[in-house]
Amino acid sequence: MPVTLGEEIMLLSLDDESGQAKDRWAAGWTVTSGLLLELALAERVRVDGGALEVVDSSPTGSTLLDSVLERIEAWTRTGKSPTVEGWLRKDQGKSVEASLASLCEQGIVTEERHRVLGLFPVRRYPEADGTVERELRSRLAAVVLEGAEPDDRTSGLIALLHGARLHRLAFPDLPRGKVEPRMAEIADGQWAGDVVRDGIRATQAALGVLAATAAVAAVS
């Protein structure tokens, strides 16, 4: 299976040389959203009005996605009414860690551990093999800058980046105004079925709520 949408977002967020994440907060939620959307595209989960439901628990062929699917199933067995927003809040940390571990296992990034002032542990993930990221950025450029027709996964990736206002992760050297209209067009297009579109909308709404909550917390 190709690198998942969550891993692609994680990869875009990492500085190639320092291995530090850019836009850490928004990127973290969006990584979790990417894994959820991947499960929707694989017809393992369904979103209806923001409610999250597992419809097929069979293996996907990806250890990373299967672990997320298992966690969603376990969560639903607790008696809670699962929602996309609730899942993003609950699993954000685990999704980020699992995506980083998967990228390391594939040899795409490497983990480096340091201590700041000899006390505080810091982990960084510089790039080890740039092939995947180069292909990813080339694919995004072809669709957004050159007008190529995207496949469903690329459309989903662009929709998530646009919804989280992470345009500069994909196009760090271009002003937002140059790429935002095309990304919005793709995000709003009829590229996916109703189930996946519902998942995208619910995820974008959840990201908006989480962003507002974080903004209020920052000034209180």
Side-chain angles (χ1 to χ4, degrees), residues 19 24 56 76 92 121 152 154 179 201 218:
R24 183 186 300 270
D56 181 357
T76 62
Q92 187 259 1
D152 285 357
T154 303
V179 298
R201 289 168 184 157

Side-chain angles (χ1 to χ4, degrees), residues 74-144:
W75 190 42
T76 62
R77 289 196 294 268
T78 65
K80 297 181 182 297
S81 298
T83 64
V84 170
E85 181 186 337
W87 180 249
L88 297 189
R89 290 182 185 275
K90 176 178 176 58
D91 206 63
Q92 187 259 1
K94 289 181 180 178
S95 289
V96 168
E97 289 295 322
S99 296
L100 286 168
S102 180
L103 290 171
C104 286
E105 288 170 5
Q106 296 173 77
I108 297 171
V109 302
T110 185
E111 182 182 73
E112 295 181 354
R113 300 186 178 219
H114 307 271
R115 285 190 178 272
V116 177
L117 301 177
L119 297 173
F120 306 105
V122 174
R123 288 183 295 171
R124 296 175 180 171
Y125 296 87
E127 192 169 66
D129 178 358
T131 305
V132 173
E133 185 177 357
R134 284 195 298 272
E135 187 279 331
L136 170 59
R137 291 190 181 278
S138 176
R139 177 158 45 95
L140 289 172
V143 170
V144 175

